[in-house]
Amino acid sequence: NWDIFNSASAKPFSGFTRSKMEGVYTLEAGGQDFGPSTAAKWSYTANGLDTVYHLSFFLERASAYFICEGRQLDSAILLNGYWRRMTTTETGKVRLTIAKGSGGKQLLSTSPFNPLTDSIVITGVYSNGDNNPDLPIQLRYTKPLNKAKPFQILAHRGGGRSADLLPASENSVEMIRLASQFGATGIEIDVRLTKDGVPILFHDATLNERVSQQNGLLGPIENYTYAQLSTLVRLPNGERIPTLQQALQTVVYNTPLQFVWMDTKVHGSLEFLRNIQAEYLAKAAAINRNVEIVIGIPDEEVLKNFKLLANYQTIPSLVELKAQDVRDINAKVWAPQWTLGLQDQETSLMASEGRRVFTWTLDVAENVEEYMRKGNFNGILSNYPSIVAYYYYVSP
């Protein structure tokens, strides 16, 4: 609670103002906790006619991020939110201000932002835990976000793992709504079938206390109907297991996410998956949303079943197997594991064929930086998308 932010005098501001605020900032205070620089990027969550915007700051040190909402008060901008490290339980409050004379007036005007002549200085305080915010922080705009080439920042399991104690459970609708705030431009989700043939999101092959609350049910997911799972099972943060349709509905209508990697954990006919894919690609196109939805092929059994689909070479797909398998089914994306190295020759060949290469699963900051700097990849899958977002947006 920040009284001035919640006052009746504090109002929303325009999308033009939001776009001018995005950029790379230097930390002139607070760097001891968060590193020397940060990348600031807006995202949104839509709920019908109501849209909530969040400004995320992706920080260098220990995979930290800020997530704030913004309001204007006269000619100043207020940012209110929280910070967290994705790899620990450390968190706290953040209260930031862009004063009238420190960029607020210019950002709220209708004139374009000129980084050569205009400046933005954000000052404020943060706290550790629920303490009253009293630790100083100051950020100064230095340059625009890097967007030199299209690049997908892919969040694992819908946005992150339950084990990392995020505000929502992995592979839940609630997590998908949060993914772009963590820096993701796309998500990977795990698709399984229930006993009665309902496609759902669930990573593990069996019900267990890692991915769900204790409920008395044990054994393989396919032993239970969707009605049983929906009624009796809750994910670690209390959510229901979503259907694949519910997940894709959320992506298309409620988020800015651009890419969905459906990691196929079904060893049988994939006709249902192709039909759902086509349905939601059409729904996205109908509202002018640029969303790619690909069928992920992780093993030989799924590859064999994919080839049984009619016109399979025209179906958007992603292959984790050999490069030749990618060519055999005309997949849009090749996705080799990061431990195989930079794969310079193969990634160059894929590029020459008009294909993209994503690598997975990169979680260590030093590895992300190296693969971003030296590699020729078009996307990185990570449990910590804020790390990937930082290194992508601050790149020269």
Side-chain angles (χ1 to χ4, degrees), residues 82-364:
Y82 73 99
W83 69 268
R84 189 180 189 273
R85 301 193 199 284
M86 291 198 86
T87 54
T88 72
T89 58
E90 295 176 84
T91 187
K93 302 173 185 177
V94 177
R95 297 174 181 173
L96 305 172
T97 301
I98 306 175
K100 174 182 178 180
S102 298
K105 181 178 179 181
Q106 199 285 330
L107 289 170
L108 292 168
S109 74
T110 57
S111 60
F113 179 76
N114 184 344
L116 298 178
T117 58
D118 300 325
S119 65
I120 304 172
V121 178
I122 306 175
T123 58
V125 289
Y126 67 98
S127 70
N128 289 312
D130 285 331
N131 297 330
N132 190 50
D134 60 359
L135 301 170
I137 187 167
Q138 181 164 300
L139 303 89
R140 183 179 297 273
Y141 181 96
T142 56
K143 63 179 182 178
L145 297 176
N146 166 56
K147 296 179 183 179
K149 71 172 185 176
F151 192 86
Q152 292 294 340
I153 302 166
L154 301 166
H156 201 206
R157 303 185 191 182
R161 299 175 298 190
S162 298
D164 287 317
L165 304 179
L166 293 164
S169 304
E170 66 184 54
N171 277 313
S172 67
V173 164
E174 291 77 4
M175 180 66 86
I176 292 170
R177 290 175 179 269
L178 292 172
S180 61
Q181 295 177 40
F182 300 149
T185 62
I187 55 171
E188 178 261 10
I189 52 178
D190 301 289
V191 180
R192 295 187 181 278
L193 282 179
T194 64
K195 183 178 181 179
D196 51 341
V198 177
I200 60 169
L201 269 56
F202 206 77
H203 179 272
D204 293 10
T206 61
L207 288 168
N208 62 79
E209 292 181 21
R210 189 198 73 78
V211 284
S212 62
Q213 296 179 4
Q214 188 172 5
N215 53 56
L217 301 183
L218 297 172
I221 283 287
E222 62 264 26
N223 287 356
Y224 300 95
T225 66
Y226 178 69
Q228 289 174 314
L229 295 173
S230 181
T231 302
L232 301 173
V233 177
R234 292 295 178 270
L235 300 177
N237 285 328
E239 309 94 339
R240 284 182 168 84
I241 297 174
T243 66
L244 176 59
Q245 289 95 326
Q246 288 169 340
L248 295 179
Q249 185 87 1
T250 300
V251 170
V252 170
Y253 293 105
N254 303 125
T255 78
L257 295 168
Q258 306 163 3
F259 195 96
V260 181
W261 171 349
M262 298 188 295
D263 191 1
T264 309
K265 298 184 182 297
V266 175
H267 287 160
S269 173
L270 300 180
E271 192 67 39
F272 78 94
L273 195 56
R274 173 64 185 106
N275 292 339
I276 293 172
Q277 177 193 44
E279 176 187 356
Y280 280 91
L281 286 173
K283 287 184 174 183
I287 60 170
N288 295 316
R289 282 274 284 119
N290 181 24
V291 181
E292 290 185 80
I293 303 171
V294 300
I295 296 176
I297 300 173
D299 59 43
E300 297 289 346
E301 181 71 14
V302 174
L303 179 64
K304 181 187 73 173
N305 291 326
F306 184 83
K307 289 181 176 180
L308 297 177
L309 295 172
N311 302 312
Y312 65 85
Q313 290 186 321
T314 67
I315 300 173
S317 61
L318 173 153
V319 174
E320 297 179 34
L321 305 172
K322 300 185 296 294
Q324 188 55 48
D325 295 322
V326 176
R327 299 181 178 99
D328 288 345
I329 65 169
N330 193 33
K332 287 177 172 285
V333 183
W334 180 41
Q337 192 170 4
W338 79 273
T339 51
L340 297 174
L342 295 175
Q343 306 263 357
D344 290 335
Q345 183 176 356
E346 286 291 1
T347 55
S348 296
L349 283 172
M350 287 289 168
S352 70
E353 297 168 8
R355 308 184 205 276
R356 289 167 293 167
V357 183
F358 301 163
T359 190
W360 57 277
T361 303
L362 270 169
D363 291 339
V364 178

